Amino acid sequence: MKDYNIIVPTYYSFIIYATYIFMPITEDVHAFILGVAVSFCYMILFLFVTYRRRLDGSREMDLPKIISEAIFMACVNLLGLFFRLTREVAIRTTFLDKRQCVEETLVLRAARDQEVCVTQLLCELCINACNYRKVYF
């Protein structure tokens, strides 16, 4: 029987990262619950399969490795949550910047239209004043 215990600890962090980064979950709480559930499943795997014996062959559970894996999983979950929160802030900031740009464009267009109307009105007044002088003077 081949020993795959060395592979299990290397890719579970990728799975936890994937739950936070790539899963299309809108709520941060749901992503956190899913990340903790994945961590819990891996802790069960570590307790009953991967680290149930020490490397020297004794039947004692390798508790320091299990504790270190649990701490690492907690840190990975916090890192995933931090990534989601910073990404949400970046998306909101981008949206607000785009909204401000659109609002400024609309204000500039309204000011330009108002300027055109005032210019036309002034031109009409000048033309009418010139015509008035020609007719009555």
Side-chain angles (χ1 to χ4, degrees):
M1 183 171 128
K2 292 185 179 182
D3 189 18
Y4 294 106
N5 294 343
I6 198 77
I7 297 173
V8 173
T10 57
Y11 74 91
Y12 75 87
S13 59
F14 173 74
I15 293 173
I16 295 173
Y17 288 137
T19 59
Y20 286 103
I21 297 171
F22 300 120
M23 296 292 285
I25 301 171
T26 57
E27 295 291 325
D28 292 333
V29 175
H30 297 142
F32 183 71
I33 290 171
L34 184 61
V36 169
V38 169
S39 299
F40 183 72
C41 291
Y42 271 103
M43 284 308 298
I44 290 172
L45 176 73
F46 290 155
L47 281 169
F48 296 115
V49 177
T50 307
Y51 298 130
R52 71 171 188 250
R53 293 184 181 185
R54 291 186 185 262
L55 289 177
D56 61 2
S58 66
R59 292 196 171 263
E60 295 177 14
M61 191 175 290
D62 204 357
L63 199 58
K65 283 188 179 181
I66 293 171
I67 292 171
S68 67
E69 295 289 348
I71 292 170
F72 180 70
M73 282 185 204
C75 291
V76 169
N77 279 308
L78 291 175
L79 183 67
L81 194 59
F82 174 75
F83 177 78
R84 283 186 66 93
L85 293 175
T86 55
R87 185 176 63 183
E88 183 177 333
V89 167
I91 289 171
R92 286 179 186 230
T93 304
T94 304
F95 175 74
L96 290 175
D97 288 345
K98 182 67 175 174
R99 179 179 174 207
Q100 183 181 6
C101 181
V102 168
E103 286 176 352
E104 288 174 358
T105 302
L106 291 175
V107 167
L108 287 174
R109 283 183 187 168
R112 186 186 66 206
D113 291 343
Q114 188 177 16
E115 187 178 299
V116 167
C117 286
V118 168
T119 305
Q120 287 176 349
L121 181 64
L122 289 176
C123 287
E124 288 176 10
L125 288 175
C126 284
I127 292 172
N128 288 339
C130 287
N131 289 338
Y132 178 75
R133 283 187 206 152
K134 288 180 186 177
V135 171
Y136 295 108
F137 296 113

